[in-house]
Amino acid sequence: MKAIRVHAFGSPEVLKLEEISDLAPGPGQIVVRIRAAGVNPVETYIRSGIYGARQFPYTPGSDAGGIIESVGLGVAANPGDRVSVTGSLTGSYAQLALCTAMQVFPLPENLSFAQGAAIGVPYGTACRALFTRGGATAGETVLVHGASGGVGTASVQLARHAGLRVIGTASTDRGRQLVRDQGAEHVLDHSDKNYLQQLMDLTNGRGVDLILEMLANVNLGKDLTVLAKRGRVVVIGSRGPVEINSRDTMSRDADIRGMSLAHADERERVMMYMRMGTQFAAGTLKPIVGQEIPLAEAPRAHEAVMKSGSHGKIVLVP
Ligand code: NAP
């Protein structure tokens, strides 16, 4: 089979398409034929080496949509089943991936394989940030700070469905239209110097109850000034240090809460994806795929996912 292999940390060009051995499932394992693989920013951080040591060579990627190719002893699923994958033993930037049974979920007929590849990290992150860490409840106002990408579009859909009032941000007209289409009541431009004043005007000076923050190194200090009393910021993304005025937390009893999807244990993950599965099947959650890029062009996908002008999820097609 063909797979992207990384032999050393470095720029996107270290992602090489190579021929490697096919996979066979052991007991409790599933081999999935990948029809689309999700590209997440974390895969660029790992590739560049900032997350530390790694065994080489490796195949990147955790998310995918595809079809079960073969199953090991004790697995209830069947070859031919359509599935969405999140996490795998061998990496999803490939024609085949070896997974545990807990990493594979049914993909409803109404979703494409590319949409199946846009579920794992984005919806798991959005769900955990909103509800597990953010404590979101119906009637609250949430700012999805960076709403046009994979996690942002998922967050807007989940928050709307849970009865929150959603304000989103994006830096392009196309991105802002996408966020509006997902159900945000208002969409602001995070590259406009007046957007936080506009946010305060939209909430009649009260501020928002919850902020899902995609770029805390740029925004955390500002976030604290637009929170309502007892507001919470959930830090989802951060690419460096940031200075804050801690008095801004005191004056509103505010919380800054970190969130990493990696801290969800197997039980929490299975519960999250099974619960969201009914919403995917019902059509109330619809993953947004902005770009489909051939697997061989994985370097281009890694460049694209780090650029602004996001429009949903980028997926690789083997
Ligand atoms: P993505 O698809 O590349 O989207 C990035 C988002 O950030 C876009 O909406 C983009 O908007 C927005 N953005 C860019 N500049 C911004 C600014 N100055 N202020 C606010 N937003 C800004 O990435 P993603 O998959 O949604 O992931 C988002 C972030 O969360 C990444 O940093 C990622 O590493 C992190 N993440 C963390 C976890 C976790 O477990 N903690 C899990 C998944 C992702 P425009 O392009 O419209 O400017």
Side-chain angles (χ1 to χ4, degrees), residues 121-141:
V121 170
Y123 281 86
T125 301
C127 181
R128 202 162 189 271
L130 262 173
F131 304 115
T132 312
R133 297 292 293 140
T137 54
E140 288 192 312
T141 301

Side-chain angles (χ1 to χ4, degrees), residues 41 45 121 125 145-152 170-171 190 214-215 219 236-237 239 259-261 305 308-310:
Y45 316 151
V121 170
T125 301
H145 212 169
S148 50
V151 177
S171 65
H190 51 237
M214 305 302 157
L215 203 57
N219 294 325
I236 297 176
R239 294 178 180 168
M259 197 297 296
S260 172
L261 182 60
V305 78
S308 62
S310 311

Side-chain angles (χ1 to χ4, degrees), residues 49-305:
I50 60 172
Y51 274 22
R54 179 98 208 188
Q55 259 197 328
F56 295 114
Y58 75 91
T59 295
S62 68
D63 295 348
I67 295 173
I68 293 184
E69 178 92 351
S70 53
V71 300
L73 274 177
V75 173
N78 295 308
D81 287 355
R82 288 162 47 88
V83 291
S84 171
V85 168
T86 184
S88 80
L89 301 168
T90 54
S92 65
Y93 292 15
Q95 289 178 320
L96 296 170
L98 181 66
C99 306
T100 67
M102 296 295 189
Q103 294 169 327
V104 175
F105 299 87
L107 178 65
E109 287 295 332
N110 57 324
L111 296 189
S112 66
F113 292 116
Q115 287 176 303
I119 291 176
V121 170
Y123 281 86
T125 301
C127 181
R128 202 162 189 271
L130 262 173
F131 304 115
T132 312
R133 297 292 293 140
T137 54
E140 288 192 312
T141 301
V142 58
L143 171 68
V144 181
H145 212 169
S148 50
V151 177
T153 49
S155 301
V156 174
Q157 292 175 9
L158 280 164
R160 281 295 294 143
H161 193 62
L164 283 93
R165 181 187 183 211
V166 182
I167 302 174
T169 73
S171 65
T172 63
D173 284 339
R174 188 167 169 255
R176 284 189 289 280
Q177 187 56 52
L178 176 70
V179 177
R180 225 169 270 122
D181 293 344
Q182 305 320 304
E185 197 172 312
H186 300 283
V187 190
L188 302 171
D189 178 354
H190 51 237
S191 65
D192 179 328
K193 63 178 174 17
N194 294 321
Y195 80 107
L196 292 176
Q197 185 53 52
Q198 293 164 15
L199 176 72
M200 291 309 282
D201 295 344
L202 287 170
T203 58
N204 296 320
R206 178 181 174 276
V208 295
D209 302 294
L210 179 61
I211 298 178
L212 300 191
E213 182 51 64
M214 305 302 157
L215 203 57
N217 56 303
V218 173
N219 294 325
L220 188 58
K222 297 182 281 179
D223 286 343
L224 298 177
T225 68
V226 296
L227 276 182
K229 281 243 170 66
R230 289 174 284 282
R232 296 91 66 198
V233 182
V234 179
V235 176
I236 297 176
S238 188
R239 294 178 180 168
V242 60
E243 190 175 307
I244 64 165
N245 182 348
S246 42
R247 289 194 66 80
D248 291 330
T249 62
M250 290 161 58
S251 54
R252 353 172 120 65
D253 268 5
D255 286 359
I256 302 169
R257 302 178 182 176
M259 197 297 296
S260 172
L261 182 60
H263 295 143
D265 61 21
E266 197 167 76
R267 191 169 164 275
E268 183 184 349
R269 290 166 75 90
V270 169
M271 276 171 55
M272 264 192 324
Y273 294 114
M274 291 308 277
R275 196 176 306 130
M276 288 190 288
T278 59
Q279 295 174 271
F280 288 120
T284 47
L285 296 177
K286 282 189 196 151
I288 305 295
V289 176
Q291 267 192 85
E292 297 191 26
I293 294 177
L295 181 63
E297 294 175 40
R300 179 158 74 83
H302 270 209
E303 274 161 19
V305 78

